[in-house]
Amino acid sequence: MSSLLPSFFQVRKPRSFSYKPLYYSEREEHLNELKKEAEAENADTEFDLTSAERELRLRKKMERYRPQKKSEGLLSTKKILIYLGILLLFIVYFLK
């Protein structure tokens, strides 16, 4: 009989969700950091990199995450337009 009723009379099953409570352990976090540092040291010693090579490698990695500089030409154009606008305002004000 429920199939004969319109859909707005039928009660839908409530939606379920999967909630996983967050758990934070300072000790576990510290241990994970120590493990990562130890693995990184082992990786560097395996390749037998010199300090200069490691520094170069680090600089290249940092360049990826460094924000890109805006073009200086656009900034100078904006500055020129602002200065011209201010100059025109002064000229109009003093000529009246």
Side-chain angles (χ1 to χ4, degrees):
M1 178 155 169
S2 66
S3 64
L4 298 176
L5 294 174
S7 64
F8 56 86
F9 287 120
Q10 294 177 357
V11 178
R12 292 186 341 174
K13 188 176 182 179
R15 290 186 182 179
S16 61
F17 60 93
S18 57
Y19 171 72
K20 295 180 183 178
L22 297 177
Y23 174 74
Y24 176 75
S25 170
E26 286 186 40
R27 182 175 182 260
E28 190 175 319
E29 192 75 25
H30 182 67
L31 288 174
N32 286 338
E33 286 180 21
L34 291 176
K35 285 180 186 177
K36 286 181 183 178
E37 288 175 9
E39 288 173 1
E41 284 180 14
N42 289 339
D44 283 347
T45 56
E46 284 178 10
F47 295 116
D48 220 12
L49 297 174
T50 64
S51 62
E53 290 172 334
R54 268 191 238 122
E55 184 178 340
L56 180 64
R57 200 166 161 200
L58 180 65
R59 286 181 190 270
K60 285 183 181 179
K61 285 182 182 179
M62 291 302 290
E63 284 177 5
R64 276 190 243 155
Y65 300 108
R66 191 173 296 148
Q68 299 295 329
K69 292 183 180 178
K70 292 183 179 180
S71 65
E72 291 296 322
L74 181 63
L75 289 176
S76 63
T77 305
K78 285 183 180 179
K79 286 180 184 177
I80 291 172
L81 289 175
I82 291 172
Y83 290 143
L84 284 175
I86 292 171
L87 181 66
L88 286 172
L89 287 174
F90 279 120
I91 290 172
V92 169
Y93 180 74
F94 287 116
L95 290 179
K96 281 190 173 183

